[in-house]
Amino acid sequence: TADEYEVHRGMSVLLRDFLEYNKPSVERRPELQALLHGAAANFLRYPSVCVQLEATSMLPHLLRASLPEPSKTGPKVEPPSPPACLRVKEELMPLLFLCAHRRVPPTFDYFALPAGYLQALAATSELDAEEDLPGVQMAIKGRLRETMAALMPSPAATLAALQFLQELLPRALGAAPDASTFLTYEAALSLLECLVPYVKAKSGPQALESLRALLSITLQAPAHSPEHEGRRLEFLGRAGGALDELAEGGAGGPEAIIALFQHVFKVVGSGQQELRRKALVCCVAVCKAAPRAIRPVLQALVDTAVGLLKCIPEEQHILCEALVAASTSAQNFDAQQGLIQNLLGPLVAQWIPLAESLVAPGKLASCLLGDRAELASAHSLLQCFWACFRSSTVPSRPEVAAAGGFAIENAG
């Protein structure tokens, strides 16, 4: 009933406040942590997004108490192991996966839901109609990120979370397409998106190998619709840091980034305009975030990308920005010189006759009043030059400038 729901929601708020104002006591008492973990799990199962928000707000505090980060100044200690009450793979991650859904589909069968769960969820959503439910769901995603960050001090907990996703993704991303399965596809990628930034080289070789496998599964999953592909590109654009961690940990960073760019360039070359733009934005984000992974394969990426420029006349400037950003962040000055020749050279060759034509007496006026094709071409080229300028920095040393490289300020 509505009255019962108000009581339950009030209890979740009360428990969240209790934890918020009693952190020192909770940190010192493992038995209290166990009780609170059980209560939080029950509220995560509750069929209400507002109650789930309170539960996910509790989790970062609880996990930081259960998995304290070792002091950076004190003596070296072993990373914390999850206590018995914290079953990351068997309980916590499945419940977070449930909470990651914008709307739980009626076909949900990844684990058994309590009897009448979906009907109760619909009823509480009506009772919470005055709330900003999309805003609540966005807040839950923010709490999921905090929860994943709180797992990071424990390599064992991080690995357990990755192993859950490694078992989940092939099924969630490969399910036959319909309106319901996209909700699960989106939820699985959202949960992965929250975890990926917190997998570091210090998480251990098993965690890095699991991360590499997850990125591979994501790339190989079928794209049943533009909506599916668009969501995948959004995720890949946020995975640049993970690729750098793979490179640092010797877990196949360059191979992973080649596979990612092969996929993205395929979308650029054959996708719809909206998907093509998303793929190019993904390129820019990864190029800026993954310098260590890109460095060994930069020239191969440039050679492939330059061939795509003619296929994307309206988005050339985005690809230019991605390539110069890759070369700048990688600080690969020899390759930068090749980039200048392969990328900007042809663009300048197009610009010179075009500019000479437009400055001829009466030509600009006739273009403004009639056929604007040349003006459109000039605009496109100027966008390319500006994108290259914006994504680069002024060379700080004469020898770097002579080599055609863009230097990062105060680089050694």
Side-chain angles (χ1 to χ4, degrees):
T1 65
D3 290 340
E4 289 174 332
Y5 172 55
E6 288 302 320
V7 171
H8 297 160
R9 184 175 173 185
M11 289 173 62
S12 68
V13 174
L14 182 63
L15 199 60
R16 181 208 63 197
D17 290 345
F18 171 82
L19 180 58
E20 176 72 25
Y21 294 109
N22 291 276
K23 292 178 189 176
S25 179
V26 173
E27 290 169 0
R28 293 192 301 268
R29 299 179 60 186
E31 74 282 2
L32 185 54
Q33 294 172 23
L35 291 171
L36 289 169
H37 274 295
N42 286 333
F43 283 128
L44 287 173
R45 292 186 184 92
Y46 196 90
S48 161
V49 292
C50 291
V51 172
Q52 289 172 353
L53 174 60
E54 305 303 340
T56 53
S57 299
M58 295 169 58
L59 288 174
H61 303 305
L62 270 176
L63 292 172
R64 283 192 286 267
S66 302
L67 305 169
E69 191 165 1
S71 172
K72 296 179 180 178
T73 56
K76 187 176 180 179
V77 297
E78 289 296 315
S81 296
C85 62
L86 178 57
R87 296 180 297 145
V88 176
K89 181 180 177 183
E90 298 80 11
E91 181 179 56
L92 178 64
M93 290 299 290
L95 292 175
L96 295 182
F97 174 54
L98 179 65
C99 294
H101 284 78
R102 281 189 297 118
R103 189 175 69 257
V104 180
T107 55
F108 185 91
D109 60 353
Y110 290 82
F111 53 87
L113 296 173
Y117 181 92
L118 293 176
Q119 294 86 341
L121 185 60
T124 58
S125 296
E126 288 185 12
L127 294 172
D128 292 329
E130 294 183 1
E131 302 282 351
D132 176 16
L133 293 182
V136 170
Q137 288 161 339
M138 286 297 296
I140 287 175
K141 188 170 182 180
R143 302 298 184 275
L144 294 181
R145 290 193 196 97
E146 294 177 32
T147 299
M148 298 299 111
L151 291 175
M152 192 172 63
S154 172
T158 301
L159 179 59
L162 288 164
Q163 288 172 338
F164 168 79
L165 286 168
Q166 207 169 338
E167 294 176 5
L168 170 74
L169 251 62
R171 183 179 170 195
L173 302 190
D178 60 41
S180 295
T181 55
F182 178 73
L183 293 168
T184 296
Y185 181 98
E186 182 182 43
L189 284 183
S190 293
L191 194 56
L192 179 60
E193 202 169 66
C194 292
L195 178 60
V196 159
Y198 302 106
V199 182
K200 305 295 183 182
K202 64 182 180 181
S203 302
Q206 280 185 287
L208 291 177
E209 177 56 31
S210 185
L211 175 61
R212 187 202 61 75
L214 285 166
L215 292 173
S216 178
I217 290 168
T218 304
L219 285 169
Q220 293 173 14
H224 296 299
S225 70
E227 191 176 25
H228 286 76
E229 185 60 67
R231 184 63 185 89
R232 172 164 52 191
L233 290 169
E234 288 175 8
F235 162 72
L236 294 174
R238 295 167 183 146
L243 294 165
D244 247 21
E245 293 298 329
L246 292 178
E248 182 179 342
E255 294 82 0
I257 206 160
I258 286 175
L260 184 149
F261 274 98
Q262 283 176 339
H263 177 81
V264 170
F265 288 159
K266 182 179 178 182
V267 177
V268 171
S270 60
Q272 301 172 0
Q273 184 173 6
E274 184 178 350
L275 283 181
R276 187 165 63 236
R277 185 168 286 269
K278 282 189 176 182
L280 289 167
V281 170
C282 172
C283 281
V284 175
V286 173
C287 286
K288 291 179 177 179
R292 285 172 293 187
I294 285 176
R295 191 172 295 128
V297 298
L298 177 62
Q299 192 57 51
L301 294 179
V302 170
D303 293 342
T304 304
V306 166
L308 290 171
L309 282 173
K310 293 181 180 179
C311 306
I312 51 170
E314 296 181 5
E315 294 98 359
Q316 284 182 335
H317 60 288
I318 305 177
L319 187 55
C320 287
E321 180 177 358
L323 295 174
V324 178
S327 189
T328 299
S329 61
Q331 299 182 49
N332 188 327
F333 303 136
D334 291 335
Q336 186 76 40
Q337 188 172 21
L339 178 65
I340 296 297
Q341 295 168 348
N342 294 334
L343 177 62
L344 291 181
L347 295 175
V348 172
Q350 295 175 51
W351 170 257
I352 292 173
L354 190 61
E356 291 175 349
S357 171
L358 288 174
V359 297
K363 180 68 173 181
L364 182 59
S366 65
C367 286
L368 288 171
L369 298 174
D371 183 1
R372 298 192 175 191
E374 288 190 356
L375 281 178
S377 298
H379 179 252
S380 176
L381 289 170
L382 286 172
Q383 282 185 306
C384 292
F385 297 144
W386 170 241
C388 293
F389 174 79
R390 182 177 58 190
S391 55
S392 62
T393 55
V394 177
S396 58
R397 301 196 307 272
E399 64 271 21
V400 171
F406 292 116
I408 294 180
E409 188 176 1
N410 298 325

